[in-house]
Amino acid sequence: MKEKTILKLKLNSDPRWVDLASKNLEEILVDHAYCEQKAASTGISLIVHYPEKERLVDELTALVAEEWEHFDRVVKELRKRNLPLGRPRRDEYVVQLMAHVRKGGPRERQLMDQLLVSSLIEARSCERFKLLWLHLQDRDPELSQFYYELMASEAGHFVSYVDLAKEYCNPAEVDARLQELLKIEGEIVVNLPVRDDRMH
């Protein structure tokens, strides 16, 4: 599978997820909106914590702008359907993944983990956007096209985060740590319940 090779995910999503999600698009769109908001917030946080890293600041400034544009687009999709934005909800997938960012030690090591965890969240989002794009083609062609457009963007974000990690840390160490985190990410996905109201 080409996308799986590009994104390096160890495990595909449970095929039941997209069927359930497509029947509960109100909740999926609300959760998706907050995923985009959190992605923008993550980029801002990294800029604030590492302002001396010029390439990181430049690339994440552009990424934050794109994530916020996605948030705006998801909100507009909700408005089209006369649906409220609703309340933010806990993203257990992200919480569990972020728990593996190592605390203490060299500052660059923590940066590497933060960048790689962010890359995996983008990769999983991309994979799920692809599932929605394909599954909604007949039922909701407009929303299907929407997810097709966002799918390519998320793949680019995955690459950007990994490239930034290799800019500031030893590339061999980055590759090794990415493999460790990919295994962890797959285990998290396997153990989380399949929910119709969560993007992850």
Side-chain angles (χ1 to χ4, degrees):
M1 179 179 179
K2 186 176 180 183
E3 291 79 8
K4 189 174 178 183
T5 301
I6 293 171
L7 300 174
K8 304 182 184 297
L9 294 173
K10 297 292 186 185
L11 185 78
N12 289 325
S13 290
D14 188 314
R16 293 175 297 168
W17 174 81
V18 72
D19 185 55
L20 292 170
S22 67
K23 295 172 182 174
N24 196 17
L25 288 174
E26 175 180 358
E27 293 294 336
I28 287 297
L29 284 167
V30 170
D31 194 58
H32 180 189
Y34 283 110
C35 287
E36 299 291 357
Q37 179 265 318
K38 291 169 190 171
S41 297
T42 295
I44 292 169
S45 177
L46 286 165
I47 290 168
V48 169
H49 283 93
Y50 301 95
E52 75 281 3
K53 300 189 183 303
E54 292 186 5
R55 181 182 168 190
L56 180 147
V57 171
D58 292 346
E59 291 196 18
L60 292 190
T61 296
L63 187 147
V64 166
E66 193 169 344
E67 298 286 19
W68 198 252
E69 179 195 9
H70 292 172
F71 172 79
D72 181 57
R73 290 184 66 183
V74 180
V75 170
K76 286 175 179 173
E77 290 297 328
L78 283 164
R79 298 286 185 260
K80 284 180 192 175
R81 293 163 171 77
N82 295 313
L83 299 172
L85 175 59
R87 305 286 299 176
R89 57 281 304 271
R90 179 181 172 89
D91 191 332
E92 191 61 37
Y93 165 81
V94 172
V95 169
Q96 290 191 30
L97 205 48
M98 288 297 295
H100 293 278
V101 173
R102 293 169 292 187
K103 305 298 189 291
R107 193 161 177 260
E108 276 66 28
R109 189 182 74 174
Q110 186 169 353
L111 172 61
M112 176 175 67
D113 279 7
Q114 290 173 322
L115 291 169
L116 293 180
V117 164
S118 294
S119 78
L120 294 182
I121 295 169
E122 298 288 340
R124 183 58 64 185
S125 295
C126 177
E127 188 240 11
R128 296 221 162 165
F129 291 171
K130 180 186 177 184
L131 293 174
L132 287 167
W133 161 52
L134 294 172
H135 200 78
L136 295 172
Q137 283 179 349
D138 294 329
R139 178 181 170 185
D140 193 332
E142 185 178 350
L143 194 58
S144 172
Q145 179 62 26
F146 172 74
Y147 278 113
Y148 175 80
E149 293 168 9
L150 266 61
M151 175 182 68
S153 176
E154 300 298 283
H157 293 170
F158 165 81
V159 172
S160 293
Y161 275 121
V162 175
D163 284 351
L164 282 172
K166 291 182 177 181
E167 172 80 10
Y168 298 112
C169 306
N170 182 289
E173 291 181 14
V174 171
D175 285 336
R177 181 59 175 162
L178 179 57
Q179 290 305 311
E180 292 174 1
L181 289 170
L182 279 162
K183 182 179 178 182
I184 290 167
E185 194 271 351
E187 292 169 353
I188 290 171
V189 169
V190 165
N191 290 314
L192 283 175
V194 178
R195 297 184 59 167
D196 65 351
D197 62 345
R198 294 290 190 274
M199 182 58 73
H200 299 122

